[in-house]
Amino acid sequence: MSNGRIYQWVVIGVLVVSSSASGDEPYYRRTYRVTVHNQGNIQTVLNNSGQVGAWSTAVDPLTGASFIRTIYPRNSGADWFGVSNPVIGGIVDRDTFVTWEFLPDQPPDNEFRYESINAESPLYSPSAHSEFDILCTYNDSISDPIELGFRNHHPLNVRVKQRSMAWSASNIDDFILVDLEISTFGTSRIQDCYVGLDGLLSVKYIADEGYGNTNLLGSLSGFRSVTTCDIPDSIAVYYGMNTDGRPSAPKQWNAESLLGALGVVILKTPEDAPVSFNWEARINPAMGYWEYWMPWKRGDARRVDPTISVDLAGDPALYAVLSNKYHAYDQMFSAVDHSTEGWLPPPGGASKLAEGAEPLYLLGAGPFDLDPRQSVHFTYALVGGDNAHVNPTDFENLWNPYQPDVYYNSLDFTELMTNARWAKWVFDNPGVDTDGDGYFGKFHVCDGDTQWYEGDGVPDFRADLPPPSPKLKVIPSTGSLAIRWNGYYSENAIDPFTKIKD
């Protein structure tokens, strides 16, 4: 692939590079590791430099099973690429720097650690949040272009402690939460700092060649449901999906169809900073060579040429995208002229772009200042939702790049948005006063009943798990087994979300 950032996601084996370190500088022995989240409906490979959905094959440390990249839904063969990678940019001494080239931290933090809330597990830890927490630490501290692979780089001297969390219960198995604790160990203040994510949300069937070039990116918000009293939900999901769901002949769904959507939900930003949404994709104009296209506002000269890949345009251009506070239109609407909304007119080849490409997303949140030794949290969820494509003939019958609304309205994002809401609730339990200040969050009153839909803003990382199992005692005798149990704690358990014994 020609995208420089994607090259960095190909990790084969173990690479070790040594150099000296002193004082507060991180240890420079670079040992890459990969591991797997395989608890729920999203099966994904992580590496110890921050990539979730790494372009690698890894072995599940619990089962020994081997996985590649990201599979969603579970065991479906829907193979997703380059899901998320942290990006941090800011101004240091009047210079603008951006990094997405993190490297594993010093031992022992370059190794993965595992924790579980399951008291019966050998991984049990009172600090765990989920059935399977994966922890690692990585940093941005070197400028060696040989080690970084392909370009000069000025480090921001930041360290990221990452905790990813997964569950297996049926109502909470379609997302993985990822919390990043970001701190600086340098002596300089990072001003107007932005933190975000970039990656691909492209999918292909696992046995197919190529990288999945018929995909779409977009965003969803204002979703209405019975759960929210038919009031628009404030949660936003940045999603990717296959263009048509890959129907088989004769125009039917089969086991290889790509019906689902995979998205990212931003749950916590430093200082509750707003989130920008941008995307970029390659287009093929009549001249026969690749150009890039990113929706860009007219009159915004911070980025010189939006047809050049943001990866190749340098730190100031990448920072301009990270900090632009845009909310780009969906890729499906690329051939529609958005000039009246302030955007540049559609590029040549926009109709082809609108019906599928290999788009890259970039999310950014800020600004905030990061002082030496200060730390902030950035938390997101990787969320899946199946059955976004409804009928196998919808794309064939309804698609028009100049009137995409007809096809767009045939899609069904109910499962994706429902799972995103569960991710939000697990992160911050609605109706729970976590810090004891008397504020329990936001609620609606529907038909006389109070329905909490937001928490108090303090993370809980607590799932709506089944009630505790009854205490069992089995008494054997000749020809029979007597089973005795005490269900007191099971029957009186309080649901953390509904606040009732349900």
Side-chain angles (χ1 to χ4, degrees):
M1 300 176 62
S2 62
N3 187 311
R5 189 173 311 159
I6 304 306
Y7 278 129
Q8 298 300 299
W9 290 353
V10 180
V11 180
I12 301 174
V14 176
L15 170 66
V16 179
V17 180
S18 301
S19 65
S20 61
S22 61
D24 244 354
E25 295 177 344
Y27 189 79
Y28 282 359
R29 185 176 298 276
R30 306 305 174 186
T31 305
Y32 287 90
R33 305 295 191 204
V34 288
T35 191
V36 171
H37 264 305
N38 184 32
Q39 289 63 51
N41 210 14
I42 300 177
Q43 301 164 299
T44 190
V45 174
L46 300 79
N47 70 19
N48 58 350
S49 58
Q51 294 153 5
V52 177
W55 285 45
S56 306
T57 299
V59 174
D60 184 340
L62 297 182
T63 67
S66 180
F67 294 94
I68 186 170
R69 291 183 292 270
T70 299
I71 301 296
Y72 179 81
R74 183 182 184 87
N75 298 328
S76 66
D79 180 12
W80 298 80
F81 285 74
V83 172
S84 68
N85 187 72
V87 184
I88 301 175
I91 299 173
V92 180
D93 299 330
R94 294 184 292 183
D95 287 324
T96 301
F97 303 118
V98 179
T99 186
W100 36 262
E101 299 154 313
F102 296 95
L103 293 169
D105 211 61
Q106 60 187 359
D109 291 331
N110 64 325
E111 302 289 346
F112 287 108
R113 295 190 295 114
Y114 306 100
E115 296 179 353
S116 175
I117 59 173
N118 183 359
E120 305 300 322
S121 169
L123 300 175
Y124 171 75
S125 170
S127 63
H129 297 312
S130 74
E131 292 176 44
F132 196 62
D133 291 14
I134 302 178
L135 295 87
C136 66
T137 304
Y138 44 91
N139 68 76
D140 168 46
S141 61
I142 66 170
S143 57
D144 185 350
I146 296 176
E147 186 165 347
L148 293 174
F150 73 101
R151 75 179 180 103
N152 292 322
H153 172 66
H154 188 287
L156 283 169
N157 293 322
V158 294
R159 176 176 283 112
V160 181
K161 295 181 179 179
Q162 176 178 297
R163 179 188 293 266
S164 56
M165 296 150 270
W167 294 261
S168 62
S170 60
N171 60 329
I172 53 173
D173 66 345
D174 285 275
F175 58 83
I176 295 172
L177 300 187
V178 184
D179 179 63
L180 308 180
E181 180 184 328
I182 303 166
S183 60
T184 174
F185 51 82
T187 59
S188 298
R189 186 186 201 196
I190 305 176
Q191 294 180 299
D192 292 333
C193 190
Y194 285 80
V195 58
L197 300 170
D198 76 341
L200 298 172
L201 291 169
S202 298
V203 62
K204 70 175 185 66
Y205 187 66
I206 194 166
D208 290 347
E209 298 293 332
Y211 297 98
N213 294 316
T214 56
N215 290 276
L216 299 168
L217 270 176
S219 64
L220 299 162
S221 60
F223 190 75
R224 297 173 181 264
S225 73
V226 174
T227 309
T228 58
C229 308
D230 206 31
I231 297 172
D233 197 328
S234 60
I235 195 167
V237 181
Y238 308 97
Y239 74 91
M241 63 188 302
N242 182 257
T243 300
D244 60 1
R246 198 180 188 271
S248 65
K251 301 176 183 177
Q252 296 177 350
W253 300 133
N254 66 5
E256 298 181 3
S257 295
L258 306 171
L259 306 183
L262 197 66
V264 172
V265 178
I266 305 302
L267 299 169
K268 173 67 176 175
T269 64
E271 301 181 8
D272 296 321
V275 178
S276 63
F277 167 57
N278 294 271
W279 59 264
E280 164 184 281
R282 294 184 298 182
I283 56 177
N284 194 2
M287 291 79 77
Y289 59 85
W290 286 111
E291 261 185 7
Y292 289 83
W293 176 255
M294 174 179 285
W296 201 254
K297 294 280 189 175
R298 293 196 313 271
D300 188 347
R302 292 178 301 163
R303 187 165 180 227
V304 177
D305 186 354
T307 66
I308 298 174
S309 173
V310 68
D311 287 337
L312 307 175
D315 283 8
L318 185 54
Y319 181 81
V321 177
L322 198 64
S323 63
N324 63 19
K325 296 183 173 61
Y326 291 178
H327 190 279
Y329 50 81
D330 286 13
Q331 179 190 340
M332 193 183 304
F333 292 78
S334 294
V336 178
D337 193 338
H338 299 273
S339 298
T340 58
E341 303 165 32
W343 299 98
L344 292 173
S351 61
K352 291 293 184 182
L353 176 61
E355 64 184 41
E358 189 184 8
L360 172 81
Y361 72 88
L362 180 61
L363 306 175
F368 58 94
D369 293 336
L370 194 59
D371 291 320
R373 314 295 175 180
Q374 181 186 2
S375 63
V376 296
H377 281 264
F378 178 81
T379 311
Y380 69 96
L382 174 62
V383 182
D386 206 3
N387 302 309
H389 291 282
V390 179
N391 299 305
T393 58
D394 280 349
F395 185 80
E396 179 182 9
N397 295 337
L398 303 177
W399 175 249
N400 181 340
Y402 304 103
Q403 295 179 324
D405 301 79
V406 179
Y407 177 62
Y408 180 84
N409 291 332
S410 75
L411 302 171
D412 185 355
F413 294 107
T414 301
E415 292 189 34
L416 178 64
M417 297 304 291
T418 299
N419 294 331
R421 187 181 303 114
W422 273 109
K424 175 184 173 183
W425 285 352
V426 169
F427 168 71
D428 184 10
N429 296 171
V432 174
D433 178 16
T434 305
D435 58 1
D437 67 352
Y439 179 64
F440 292 81
K442 298 179 182 180
F443 64 89
H444 302 302
V445 177
C446 301
D447 299 325
D449 292 329
T450 299
Q451 292 188 2
W452 298 90
Y453 66 94
E454 282 190 15
D456 64 347
V458 180
D460 296 287
F461 296 109
R462 184 176 62 177
D464 183 18
L465 297 172
S469 174
K471 300 296 183 181
L472 295 173
K473 184 177 183 180
V474 180
I475 305 172
S477 60
T478 303
S480 67
L481 293 173
I483 302 176
R484 303 181 65 178
W485 67 90
N486 185 332
Y488 175 83
Y489 293 105
S490 303
E491 296 170 7
N492 288 281
I494 301 298
D495 187 304
F497 293 152
T498 66
K499 304 298 183 295
I500 61 174
K501 294 185 289 186
D502 60 359

